Amino acid sequence: MDAIYSNSEIVCSTTASINKCSRYKGQETLKKEVTVHKQIKVLLIVLSVCLVFAFGGVCTLAILLTHATHFNVSVSDQDNNATDYKAQFDALHNQHEETLRKLNRLNYSTGCALCAVHWVHSGGKCYYFSKVKMNWTQSRDHCVTLGGHLVIINSKTEQDFVTSNVKVSHWIGLNDLDTEGHWVWVNNQPVNDSVEFWIKRENGIREPDNWTKHHPDGEDCAGLGRSIRDTDFWSDAYCFLEKRFVCEAPAAV
Ligand SMILES: [Ca+2]
Ligand SMILES: [Ca+2]
């Protein structure tokens, strides 16, 4: 009985070859099973490695998440600490101001001082030269909280005293906010034309010039000089600029 078997290595076409072919087939089947087992082993190894990496990744994510949470808690703690320090600073600042006021009242009542601490006496007046910068309106209001007002300059002597104490531009209590070109002091008194110290340049251009190049509303508040120049004279400037300022108050008698 003839039979035909074929594979890549042998062709069986006779009865005598059938047994031999069967052996080949058995060996071939065994080889295939071994190959399959090997492939399964490799697959299992690959899967195991993948599982190890996946587990490692999960662990890493968990650690990062824990650190992130801890970091957020730390930032939150720092915010709270900053808020606490700000509150403590404000409280100390208020205590300091109150202590100064008490000291000033004591000095006045005992005749120990004519001016409050940090104020300078001259010609029966007290002057305060700020270290901080504010816009004109804030400066005006701050002088009031200190018990005075932005300086009103009524004489050449007063002008010379004030300007001798400044080296950079300072706000003074002069503005034309209500009516352009009508300059008044913070006590609503107009400028005395015989006692004015506006900057006058050699080319004929002078202050106040209500400069509108950088702001259409022009310049409605007066200060000493411009930046660090011409601080012996007055100049109009944009009220929103932040400058140091000079306050004035009556001296104790
Ligand atoms: Ca003006
Ligand atoms: Ca000007």
Side-chain angles (χ1 to χ4, degrees):
M1 183 177 177
D2 290 346
I4 297 173
Y5 299 96
S6 66
N7 59 40
S8 58
E9 295 181 354
I10 188 167
V11 175
C12 302
S13 59
T14 65
T15 305
S17 302
I18 287 176
N19 289 338
K20 192 176 177 181
C21 285
S22 295
R23 272 203 313 278
Y24 279 125
K25 281 175 60 61
Q27 289 174 354
E28 192 64 25
T29 304
L30 189 60
K31 276 184 184 174
K32 282 184 179 173
E33 285 178 355
V34 169
T35 304
V36 168
H37 283 150
K38 279 184 179 175
Q39 288 175 341
I40 289 173
K41 270 187 181 177
V42 170
L43 192 61
L44 284 173
I45 291 170
V46 169
L47 279 174
S48 300
V49 171
C50 288
L51 279 173
V52 168
F53 277 106
F55 182 71
V58 169
C59 289
T60 305
L61 278 176
I63 291 168
L64 287 175
L65 196 60
T66 304
H67 279 279
T69 305
H70 180 69
F71 177 73
N72 283 338
V73 170
S74 298
V75 170
S76 176
D77 286 347
Q78 285 180 1
D79 285 346
N80 290 336
N81 286 341
T83 305
D84 290 345
Y85 288 142
K86 174 76 167 53
Q88 288 177 28
F89 174 80
D90 289 343
L92 284 172
H93 181 72
N94 290 337
Q95 283 181 18
H96 173 69
E97 295 282 315
E98 180 57 27
T99 304
L100 278 181
R101 279 191 285 272
K102 285 180 180 174
L103 180 61
N104 289 333
R105 282 196 292 271
L106 180 67
N107 281 337
Y108 287 146
S109 63
T110 58
C112 289
L114 296 173
C115 296
V117 176
H118 301 316
W119 291 62
V120 183
H121 178 259
S122 176
K125 303 280 185 60
C126 300
Y127 298 89
Y128 175 79
F129 299 88
S130 82
K131 296 286 183 270
V132 297
K133 291 182 177 180
M134 296 182 183
N135 66 37
W136 188 86
T137 306
Q138 291 169 333
S139 302
R140 178 198 62 191
D141 295 346
H142 192 71
C143 285
V144 172
T145 66
L146 294 177
H149 54 76
L150 271 176
V151 66
I152 297 171
I153 297 174
N154 302 111
S155 67
K156 177 76 163 59
T157 303
E158 189 171 24
Q159 167 77 6
D160 289 344
F161 168 75
V162 172
T163 58
S164 68
N165 281 277
V166 303
K167 291 184 170 55
V168 296
S169 185
H170 282 59
W171 288 125
I172 60 175
L174 187 59
N175 72 90
D176 71 341
L177 285 162
D178 284 345
T179 305
E180 178 55 40
H182 181 60
W183 289 89
V184 293
W185 295 103
V186 285
N187 62 358
N188 290 322
Q189 293 300 306
V191 173
N192 182 342
D193 288 341
S194 63
V195 187
E196 55 88 3
F197 303 97
W198 295 107
I199 293 172
K200 299 170 184 63
R201 301 194 186 102
E202 291 176 355
N203 58 10
I205 298 172
R206 52 163 287 172
E207 302 284 346
D209 57 0
N210 199 43
W211 189 246
T212 55
K213 183 174 181 181
H214 302 299
H215 199 279
D217 288 345
E219 299 172 310
D220 297 334
C221 296
L224 298 171
R226 295 172 296 123
S227 184
I228 59 172
R229 291 186 297 160
D230 302 324
T231 52
D232 287 346
F233 298 96
W234 305 346
S235 172
D236 60 349
Y238 299 125
C239 300
F240 57 79
L241 292 178
E242 293 191 331
K243 297 174 182 279
R244 294 188 182 193
F245 50 94
V246 187
C247 303
E248 176 187 341
V253 292

